[in-house]
Short mmCIF file of all heavy atoms in Angstrom, two decimals:
data_model
loop_
_atom_site.label_atom_id
_atom_site.label_comp_id
_atom_site.label_asym_id
_atom_site.label_seq_id
_atom_site.Cartn_x
_atom_site.Cartn_y
_atom_site.Cartn_z
N LYS I 1259 173.31 104.98 87.29
CA LYS I 1259 173.89 105.97 86.38
C LYS I 1259 173.48 107.40 86.76
O LYS I 1259 174.30 108.31 86.81
CB LYS I 1259 173.49 105.68 84.93
CG LYS I 1259 174.19 104.46 84.38
CD LYS I 1259 174.11 104.35 82.87
CE LYS I 1259 172.73 104.20 82.34
NZ LYS I 1259 172.64 103.73 80.94
N THR I 1260 172.21 107.54 87.16
CA THR I 1260 171.72 108.87 87.59
C THR I 1260 172.47 109.28 88.86
O THR I 1260 172.93 110.42 88.97
CB THR I 1260 170.21 108.80 87.90
OG1 THR I 1260 169.56 108.37 86.71
CG2 THR I 1260 169.65 110.14 88.31
N THR I 1261 172.64 108.34 89.78
CA THR I 1261 173.33 108.64 91.05
C THR I 1261 174.79 108.99 90.79
O THR I 1261 175.34 109.90 91.43
CB THR I 1261 173.22 107.45 92.04
OG1 THR I 1261 171.86 107.06 92.11
CG2 THR I 1261 173.66 107.85 93.42
N ILE I 1262 175.45 108.29 89.87
CA ILE I 1262 176.87 108.59 89.53
C ILE I 1262 176.93 110.04 89.06
O ILE I 1262 177.76 110.82 89.51
CB ILE I 1262 177.41 107.62 88.43
CG1 ILE I 1262 177.65 106.24 89.03
CG2 ILE I 1262 178.70 108.18 87.86
CD1 ILE I 1262 178.03 105.16 88.02
N MET I 1263 176.02 110.40 88.14
CA MET I 1263 176.05 111.76 87.61
C MET I 1263 175.79 112.81 88.69
O MET I 1263 176.41 113.88 88.71
CB MET I 1263 175.05 111.92 86.47
CG MET I 1263 175.49 111.12 85.27
SD MET I 1263 174.59 111.61 83.82
CE MET I 1263 174.97 113.36 83.74
N GLU I 1264 174.90 112.49 89.62
CA GLU I 1264 174.59 113.41 90.70
C GLU I 1264 175.75 113.53 91.66
O GLU I 1264 175.91 114.54 92.35
CB GLU I 1264 173.31 113.00 91.45
CG GLU I 1264 172.07 113.28 90.61
CD GLU I 1264 170.82 112.58 91.16
OE1 GLU I 1264 170.91 111.80 92.14
OE2 GLU I 1264 169.74 112.81 90.59
N SER I 1265 176.59 112.47 91.75
CA SER I 1265 177.70 112.47 92.68
C SER I 1265 178.91 113.23 92.10
O SER I 1265 179.80 113.64 92.86
CB SER I 1265 178.15 111.03 92.99
OG SER I 1265 177.07 110.26 93.46
N MET I 1266 178.97 113.37 90.80
CA MET I 1266 180.12 114.04 90.16
C MET I 1266 180.01 115.53 90.31
O MET I 1266 178.97 116.14 90.01
CB MET I 1266 180.16 113.68 88.67
CG MET I 1266 180.54 112.23 88.42
SD MET I 1266 180.43 111.80 86.65
CE MET I 1266 182.06 112.27 86.08
N GLU I 1267 181.07 116.17 90.80
CA GLU I 1267 181.11 117.63 90.85
C GLU I 1267 181.45 118.16 89.46
O GLU I 1267 182.36 117.67 88.82
CB GLU I 1267 182.24 118.08 91.83
CG GLU I 1267 182.02 117.68 93.27
CD GLU I 1267 181.03 118.59 93.95
OE1 GLU I 1267 180.93 119.77 93.61
OE2 GLU I 1267 180.29 118.06 94.83
N PRO I 1268 180.74 119.22 89.00
CA PRO I 1268 181.06 119.79 87.71
C PRO I 1268 182.51 120.23 87.66
O PRO I 1268 183.02 120.79 88.65
CB PRO I 1268 180.13 121.01 87.60
CG PRO I 1268 178.98 120.68 88.53
CD PRO I 1268 179.58 119.88 89.61
N GLY I 1269 183.18 119.94 86.54
CA GLY I 1269 184.56 120.42 86.35
C GLY I 1269 185.60 119.54 87.05
O GLY I 1269 186.80 119.81 86.96
N GLN I 1270 185.15 118.49 87.69
CA GLN I 1270 186.07 117.62 88.42
C GLN I 1270 186.32 116.34 87.64
O GLN I 1270 185.39 115.81 87.05
CB GLN I 1270 185.43 117.27 89.77
CG GLN I 1270 186.24 116.42 90.70
CD GLN I 1270 187.41 117.16 91.30
OE1 GLN I 1270 187.32 118.32 91.69
NE2 GLN I 1270 188.53 116.49 91.39
N LEU I 1271 187.57 115.87 87.59
CA LEU I 1271 187.88 114.61 86.91
C LEU I 1271 187.83 113.48 87.89
O LEU I 1271 188.33 113.61 89.03
CB LEU I 1271 189.30 114.68 86.27
CG LEU I 1271 189.49 115.59 85.09
CD1 LEU I 1271 190.95 115.49 84.63
CD2 LEU I 1271 188.55 115.26 83.93
N TYR I 1272 187.30 112.34 87.45
CA TYR I 1272 187.25 111.12 88.28
C TYR I 1272 187.72 109.93 87.48
O TYR I 1272 187.31 109.76 86.35
CB TYR I 1272 185.78 110.86 88.70
CG TYR I 1272 185.15 111.93 89.53
CD1 TYR I 1272 184.41 112.95 88.92
CD2 TYR I 1272 185.25 111.89 90.92
CE1 TYR I 1272 183.85 113.94 89.69
CE2 TYR I 1272 184.69 112.92 91.68
CZ TYR I 1272 183.98 113.93 91.07
OH TYR I 1272 183.38 114.93 91.80
N SER I 1273 188.57 109.14 88.09
CA SER I 1273 188.88 107.85 87.48
C SER I 1273 187.82 106.87 87.97
O SER I 1273 187.08 107.17 88.89
CB SER I 1273 190.30 107.38 87.90
OG SER I 1273 190.27 107.10 89.28
N ILE I 1274 187.80 105.69 87.37
CA ILE I 1274 186.84 104.66 87.84
C ILE I 1274 187.10 104.33 89.32
O ILE I 1274 186.18 104.26 90.10
CB ILE I 1274 186.93 103.40 86.96
CG1 ILE I 1274 186.54 103.70 85.50
CG2 ILE I 1274 186.03 102.29 87.52
CD1 ILE I 1274 185.11 104.12 85.24
#
Side-chain angles (χ1 to χ4, degrees):
K1259 287 194 298 196
T1260 303
T1261 311
I1262 288 173
M1263 290 196 59
E1264 287 167 355
S1265 305
M1266 291 173 87
E1267 294 284 328
Q1270 182 72 41
L1271 290 181
Y1272 298 92
S1273 67
I1274 297 295

